[in-house]
Amino acid sequence: MGQHPLPLDRRYQAALQDIQRRLRTVEMRTMGIDSGFPLMALAAQIDPAYSSGDPKVFLNGAATLTGPYQHLASYTPAANDLVLAVPVVALQTYVIVGKLA
């Protein structure tokens, strides 16, 4: 016997479920963009008064300190270091990944 198309209401329901699934995928992929939090790595300078712990920094040449920000274990912060700060969108913060040469 031949295949008959599904009834219209079942085709509509299947199409609607597919659209909803695809929309959830798009929303998840763009969540960081829609957060308003920057998505790019920024140059930063460690606070000149830094002595220990997680450093505060001048992000991207700003005039005011922000942070403190965590840093990778492989990097030991030092006052006035020029570093790379990478955003962690899910936490709405930056992580210092190391010194710029």
Side-chain angles (χ1 to χ4, degrees):
M1 289 182 84
Q3 289 271 1
H4 295 290
L6 291 173
L8 183 58
D9 62 329
R10 290 189 56 200
R11 284 185 284 162
Y12 174 77
Q13 187 64 30
L16 186 59
Q17 288 173 350
D18 183 55
I19 290 169
Q20 289 171 333
R21 180 189 55 78
R22 293 169 58 196
L23 181 59
R24 281 191 300 273
T25 300
V26 170
E27 286 175 337
M28 287 178 60
R29 290 180 182 170
T30 60
M31 191 178 341
I33 295 168
D34 292 341
S35 71
F37 192 76
L39 298 177
M40 62 188 167
L42 297 174
Q45 181 181 9
I46 302 288
D47 180 5
Y50 172 79
S51 59
S52 65
D54 291 330
K56 290 187 175 187
V57 300
F58 295 102
L59 272 176
N60 208 26
T64 57
L65 285 169
T66 60
Y69 298 113
Q70 293 183 344
H71 56 87
L72 296 183
S74 59
Y75 167 68
T76 303
N80 291 313
D81 274 358
L82 186 59
V83 297
L84 186 64
V86 175
V88 180
V89 177
L91 301 176
Q92 299 266 319
T93 191
Y94 287 92
V95 171
I96 307 300
V97 296
K99 183 176 179 177
L100 296 172

